[in-house]
């Protein structure tokens, strides 16, 4: 048991004597990281049907204000394109609820150098273009939306 205590004491002396040498040494550390593009896309269609009236037939279209909400969180520092299409084949135009021109298939969102944790949210208006064969009544509305990066 006495020899074990001596060995332990010698090891402690060696360890403690090496501490000043460790403190005086320096090290160089190189770190590299790759940040992969990340997009979290959420699209909410608020209306699933629309009604065509005699006034709509006369005008040639049905306006659906704020019918879609887009929300995107991203670490990408450039604009993101969102593609729109309709399942039922009718011609639908879209525009930002804040105003501007109608577009048919593509909407561009600009991240404005926000934090990746901060969402970009836009309300979108829809305009269904009626044809000469259109009739009064209620019709289903199904819109597909997908971001393109």
């Amino acid at each position: 048991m006495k020899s074990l205590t001596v060995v332990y004491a010698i090891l402690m002396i060696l360890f403690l004597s090496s501490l000043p040498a460790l403190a005086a040494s320096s090290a160089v550390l190189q770190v590299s990281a790759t940040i992969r593009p990340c997009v979290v896309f959420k699209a909410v269609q608020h209306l699933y049907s629309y009604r065509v009236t005699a006034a709509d037939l006369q005008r040639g279209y049905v306006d659906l204000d704020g019918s879609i909400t887009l929300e995107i969180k991203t670490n990408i520092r450039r604009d993101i394109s969102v593609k729109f299409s309709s399942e039922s084949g009718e011609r639908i135009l879209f525009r930002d609820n804040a105003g501007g021109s109608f577009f048919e298939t593509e909407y561009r969102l600009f991240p404005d150098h926000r934090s990746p944790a901060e969402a970009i949210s836009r309300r979108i208006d829809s305009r269904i273009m009626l044809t000469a064969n259109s009739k009064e009544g209620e019709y289903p509305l199904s819109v597909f939306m997908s971001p393109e990066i």
Side-chain angles (χ1 to χ4, degrees):
M1 187 69 172
K2 187 176 181 182
S3 63
L4 185 60
T5 306
V6 172
V7 170
Y8 178 75
I10 292 172
L11 287 174
M12 285 304 292
I13 292 170
L14 289 172
F15 175 74
L16 292 175
S17 65
S18 69
L19 284 179
L22 289 175
S25 65
S26 65
V28 175
L29 177 66
Q30 289 184 330
V31 177
S32 66
T34 302
I35 299 173
R36 294 181 178 242
C38 173
V39 175
V40 177
F41 177 71
K42 180 180 175 184
V44 178
Q45 182 178 325
H46 301 286
L47 302 173
Y48 296 98
S49 66
Y50 62 95
R51 178 173 296 284
V52 176
T53 65
D56 296 328
L57 289 170
Q58 207 171 31
R59 192 173 45 246
Y61 58 87
V62 177
D63 276 341
L64 306 171
D65 293 334
S67 60
I68 297 168
T69 300
L70 299 178
E71 188 174 285
I72 292 181
K73 289 182 182 181
T74 182
N75 63 353
I76 297 173
R77 300 282 186 199
R78 59 180 163 74
D79 59 323
I80 297 169
S81 175
V82 179
K83 297 286 188 175
F84 289 82
S85 62
S86 169
E87 180 182 81
S88 48
E90 69 265 279
R91 183 170 174 235
I92 303 178
L93 304 178
F94 305 93
R95 79 168 173 195
D96 193 313
N97 188 256
S101 302
F102 279 95
F103 55 90
E104 193 158 352
T105 59
E106 183 177 9
Y107 179 66
R108 291 198 171 290
L109 284 168
F110 301 96
D112 300 329
H113 304 291
R114 297 174 187 227
S115 159
E118 201 176 339
I120 303 164
S121 184
R122 298 287 187 274
R123 294 278 292 194
I124 304 293
D125 297 336
S126 303
R127 176 175 282 179
I128 291 122
M129 304 304 294
L130 302 175
T131 64
N133 300 336
S134 297
K135 295 181 168 83
E136 289 185 46
E138 188 150 337
Y139 298 92
L141 178 64
S142 184
V143 177
F144 294 105
M145 297 149 277
S146 63
E148 290 199 352
I149 301 162

